[in-house]
Amino acid sequence: MDKLRMESPDMVQGNVEKIAALFPNCVTEGPDGHGGLKKAVDFDKLRQMLSGDVLEGDEAYEFTWVGKKAAMVEANKPTRQTLRPCPEESKNWDTTENLYIEGDNLQVLKLLQESYLGKVKMIYIDPPYNTGHDFIYNDHFEMDKDEYEQQTSMFDEEGNRNFTENTDSNPRFHSDWCSMMYSRLMLARNLLTEDGLLFCSIDDNELRNARCICDEVFGESQFLATFVWKRRTSSAMDKSKCSNDHEYVVAYKMPAFKMLRGTNKDYRGYSNPDNDPRGPWTMGDLTVGMTGDMRPNQYYNITDPKTGIVYKPNYNRVWSYIPEAMEQLIREDRIVFPDDPNKRPMKKRFAFELGSDTNPQSTWLDKVGLNTEGTKQINDLFGKGLFSYCKPLSLIKVFIDQTTSKNDIILDFFSGSATTAHAVMQLNAEDGGHRKFIMVQLPEACDEKSEAYKAGYKTICDIGKERIRRAGAKIEAELAAKSAPADSEQLSLTDAQQPTETPKLDTGFRVFKLDDSNMRDVYFAPDDYNQDMLSMMESNIKPDRTALDLLFGCLLEWGLPLSTPYHSETIDGCTVHTYNDGDLIACFDENIPRSVVETIARRQPLRAVFRDAGFTTSPEKINLTEVFKLLAPDTRIKVI
């Protein structure tokens, strides 16, 4: 029987294990800092394995900044924080599969590593654009100004500052942004399915750095496209007299991703006036932009075998085919000859030859709404202007529609006003899908002078949650109005003809809030325990934590999703929680009687969790193990 770690996985050791699987000779043992040993990488051997010639010196093609290594270390560090469930702030807590998580997204992404590893089909983020405003993601690896200036040699050997011109961009400013994005994207990539995608909205300030960071995290070969979105029509007042009217969406894919879905082809130009058995066709050009001197074998006369009319070539634009190929097309009735010899023959292009009913998705998002549309959409929901510069639903919907199936998970860890959640629900309503969303947002305080604050919304999270509630209610009302038949139609239908009930749309969400560990300060990581600390451990759980807090903390540790149904019941005076019909059964009461242990064991759950203080003596713990050996030998048991 093992103790739960109650912390996110150690990403460093996980990466060492991956290296060991590829290069076992490069992994050795080293001191763990506690008198023991742990696996470590022999980097000299690893370098030799990855190169026929060992790289010497510090010259290499790379993208770097001050703080990059620290950002990598921070991303790999485990966290002892947890997610606390908030049913009272949720909607349809018992049935929904959507999540809304309040907290620093770096820590949240760490906590989601096991439960959602490889399960998210699409990530859309709209991160801070780094335009000069306060940097709100104050990560531990950020350096103060003095430390930064020392590392970037802004001072000479005597301590005098080197006065170099630094006009438009402070390099530390970009470094902070790069560090913030790098660590989060490292963690986010782990959550994507093998054919998943990331879409990142960005503007000119950090477009280059965003591409470079994603090239490292995903690999250059996984770059999909940079989509261009026109965000406004009116010119911006700028001293440069250059109105920046566009933003970008950078897209990266995972290795198994094949293609976007594409847009529906327009067949309005196809017809079949001659009743060709091959079906509808349209006319295509038969010439190519080459001269007679450049392509002499494509500069010749064509004769219509039915009329004898001769069509002369254009010296500046010769035929697309050599004579033999052209004769073959004529025999196959693929050429349309005009009555006027001064006009050019055309080629039949059949609809069946297109190979697909869709056109490629253009990187020019000309059919997507403007920023003003996004702002109007949220303001219409609230009846007043609470949030400016929202992305329009159409922007996010186009990517969800292009890349996801109807049961996929979509993640946004800079969720803002929750436009992504709104887009997921809207698309589900339109195509009958059951996509799930996970929104993550720092509870950034609203300005006390803002309309949002005056309306009672103290944080951005308050706005986001309320938007999902209102958008969900609006979508449900629209669906009900569409599905309800007119009274006359209803009366004319027999019972057998009554319309079937439309699938239930999930507009709910479970709210979780990032908090410190459920365990008291006497709790340490497993390697930190020693004999002298036993007297401190009479009760290792904080008094304000509920059984629900403990249950969902166990789900994170065991890598179970946070959205699956569960139920609680009373057995012989103890509260027992059953998660997803037996994936996990937990009891966090004290002095648990043997009858409760036997009842749980007889149900043979995959996992069972108990509170360490639930058994007051060592014999009771031994009895617990023996009961499960007898009744549920395959159940994994842990205590907290």
Side-chain angles (χ1 to χ4, degrees), residues 121 261 400 403-410 428 434-435:
K121 180 59 180 292
R261 186 165 290 116
I400 299 175
T403 61
T404 68
S405 299
K406 293 184 178 181
N407 290 296
D408 286 332
I409 298 174
I410 293 93
N428 282 342
H434 190 63
R435 300 170 186 85

Side-chain angles (χ1 to χ4, degrees), residues 286-463:
L286 259 181
T287 62
V288 63
M290 299 286 182
T291 66
D293 286 340
M294 296 169 66
R295 292 287 188 271
N297 60 340
Q298 292 171 234
Y299 185 64
Y300 55 89
N301 294 334
I302 298 177
T303 302
D304 182 351
K306 296 179 181 178
T307 65
I309 298 176
V310 177
Y311 303 87
K312 296 181 179 181
N314 182 339
Y315 175 80
N316 294 313
R317 192 171 181 85
V318 299
W319 304 117
S320 300
Y321 302 92
I322 61 175
E324 294 81 2
M326 185 69 77
E327 287 297 327
Q328 179 66 28
L329 291 173
I330 294 173
R331 286 194 298 270
E332 294 175 353
D333 191 22
R334 302 278 310 234
I335 306 300
V336 179
F337 292 99
D339 294 334
D340 186 348
N342 294 317
K343 294 182 179 180
R344 288 184 298 175
M346 304 292 282
K347 179 183 177 182
K348 284 185 177 180
R349 299 185 185 275
F350 291 95
F352 79 86
E353 295 175 314
L354 296 174
S356 171
D357 290 331
T358 58
N359 292 310
Q361 173 61 51
S362 173
T363 56
W364 177 252
L365 301 175
D366 56 339
K367 296 181 180 179
V368 169
L370 307 174
N371 249 338
T372 51
E373 177 184 310
T375 303
K376 183 179 185 301
Q377 286 165 343
I378 185 172
N379 291 345
D380 286 347
L381 287 174
F382 287 88
K384 59 180 67 178
L386 298 185
F387 209 98
S388 300
Y389 307 113
C390 296
K391 293 294 187 290
L393 289 176
S394 53
L395 174 67
I396 303 176
K397 273 179 59 183
V398 72
F399 296 127
I400 299 175
D401 183 49
Q402 284 290 308
T403 61
T404 68
S405 299
K406 293 184 178 181
N407 290 296
D408 286 332
I409 298 174
I410 293 93
L411 167 66
D412 184 344
F413 54 89
F414 288 98
S415 68
S417 67
T419 304
T420 301
H422 190 167
V424 169
M425 294 188 296
Q426 185 68 55
L427 189 57
N428 282 342
E430 293 173 5
D431 67 6
H434 190 63
R435 300 170 186 85
K436 282 78 68 175
F437 63 74
I438 302 175
M439 300 293 104
V440 183
Q441 176 59 41
L442 188 73
E444 183 184 357
C446 295
D447 189 329
E448 294 186 7
K449 298 179 181 178
S450 67
E451 289 298 321
Y453 189 90
K454 294 174 183 177
Y457 303 104
K458 301 299 186 291
T459 69
I460 292 178
C461 291
D462 293 338
I463 298 174

Side-chain angles (χ1 to χ4, degrees), residues 201 226 322 563:
S201 281
T226 298
I322 61 175
S563 57

Side-chain angles (χ1 to χ4, degrees), residues 109-359:
L109 288 170
K110 291 181 181 182
L111 290 169
L112 298 181
Q113 288 298 296
E114 294 200 38
S115 294
Y116 292 92
L117 179 68
K119 294 180 180 179
V120 176
K121 180 59 180 292
M122 178 192 139
I123 296 175
Y124 170 81
I125 54 173
D126 184 15
Y129 279 6
N130 209 24
T131 56
H133 298 95
D134 293 337
F135 205 73
I136 61 174
Y137 289 87
N138 187 23
D139 297 325
H140 298 298
F141 51 80
E142 288 181 352
M143 289 169 281
D144 59 32
K145 184 177 180 182
D146 292 339
E147 183 180 0
Y148 178 85
E149 289 174 341
Q150 290 173 4
Q151 292 198 35
T152 53
S153 301
M154 288 186 174
F155 291 86
D156 60 24
E157 294 180 355
E158 286 77 30
N160 299 315
R161 178 159 184 161
N162 294 321
F163 289 96
T164 56
E165 187 176 2
N166 184 30
T167 54
D168 293 339
S169 60
N170 180 324
R172 179 174 180 267
F173 184 65
H174 286 285
S175 290
D176 284 347
W177 190 89
C178 289
S179 292
M180 183 270 292
M181 290 297 295
Y182 193 77
S183 56
R184 287 160 175 81
L185 289 174
M186 284 178 62
L187 294 167
R189 183 187 183 278
N190 297 335
L191 304 181
L192 285 171
T193 60
E194 293 180 350
D195 60 346
L197 297 100
L198 168 92
F199 294 92
C200 176
S201 281
I202 203 69
D203 69 353
D204 285 314
N205 290 293
E206 297 292 355
L207 174 62
R208 179 186 62 179
N209 287 337
R211 279 289 313 271
C212 289
I213 291 172
C214 288
D215 280 348
E216 284 204 13
V217 173
F218 291 88
E220 284 187 71
S221 62
Q222 302 310 317
F223 170 70
L224 179 65
T226 298
F227 295 90
V228 182
W229 167 56
K230 185 175 177 62
R231 60 176 177 167
R232 63 183 170 209
T233 55
S234 59
S235 298
M237 299 297 292
D238 189 279
K239 61 182 180 181
S240 66
K241 300 298 182 182
C242 180
S243 179
N244 188 352
D245 299 332
H246 298 88
E247 290 181 8
Y248 311 93
V249 181
V250 177
Y252 280 78
K253 58 187 174 65
M254 294 293 279
F257 177 79
K258 291 182 173 58
M259 66 182 72
L260 297 178
R261 186 165 290 116
T263 58
N264 291 332
K265 282 189 179 294
D266 185 357
Y267 289 100
R268 286 176 295 182
Y270 288 80
S271 62
N272 196 359
D274 59 351
N275 295 317
D276 193 307
R278 290 166 291 191
W281 52 271
T282 188
M283 290 195 293
D285 197 358
L286 259 181
T287 62
V288 63
M290 299 286 182
T291 66
D293 286 340
M294 296 169 66
R295 292 287 188 271
N297 60 340
Q298 292 171 234
Y299 185 64
Y300 55 89
N301 294 334
I302 298 177
T303 302
D304 182 351
K306 296 179 181 178
T307 65
I309 298 176
V310 177
Y311 303 87
K312 296 181 179 181
N314 182 339
Y315 175 80
N316 294 313
R317 192 171 181 85
V318 299
W319 304 117
S320 300
Y321 302 92
I322 61 175
E324 294 81 2
M326 185 69 77
E327 287 297 327
Q328 179 66 28
L329 291 173
I330 294 173
R331 286 194 298 270
E332 294 175 353
D333 191 22
R334 302 278 310 234
I335 306 300
V336 179
F337 292 99
D339 294 334
D340 186 348
N342 294 317
K343 294 182 179 180
R344 288 184 298 175
M346 304 292 282
K347 179 183 177 182
K348 284 185 177 180
R349 299 185 185 275
F350 291 95
F352 79 86
E353 295 175 314
L354 296 174
S356 171
D357 290 331
T358 58
N359 292 310

Side-chain angles (χ1 to χ4, degrees), residues 570-637:
T570 301
I571 302 175
D572 291 347
C574 293
T575 302
V576 175
H577 310 275
T578 301
Y579 184 82
N580 198 30
D581 295 328
D583 279 356
L584 180 146
I585 297 182
C587 181
F588 304 112
D589 289 5
E590 298 183 359
N591 301 317
I592 302 173
R594 183 185 177 92
S595 60
V596 173
V597 174
E598 290 179 348
T599 300
I600 294 174
R602 287 193 183 96
R603 295 178 180 179
Q604 298 186 333
L606 296 177
R607 309 164 184 85
V609 180
F610 301 92
R611 186 171 177 173
D612 198 18
F615 308 94
T616 56
T617 65
S618 294
E620 288 179 348
K621 293 181 181 179
I622 294 173
N623 288 337
L624 168 71
T625 304
E626 294 302 319
V627 168
F628 273 88
K629 280 184 179 179
L630 178 64
L631 300 177
D634 296 328
T635 298
R636 297 175 59 191
I637 312 168

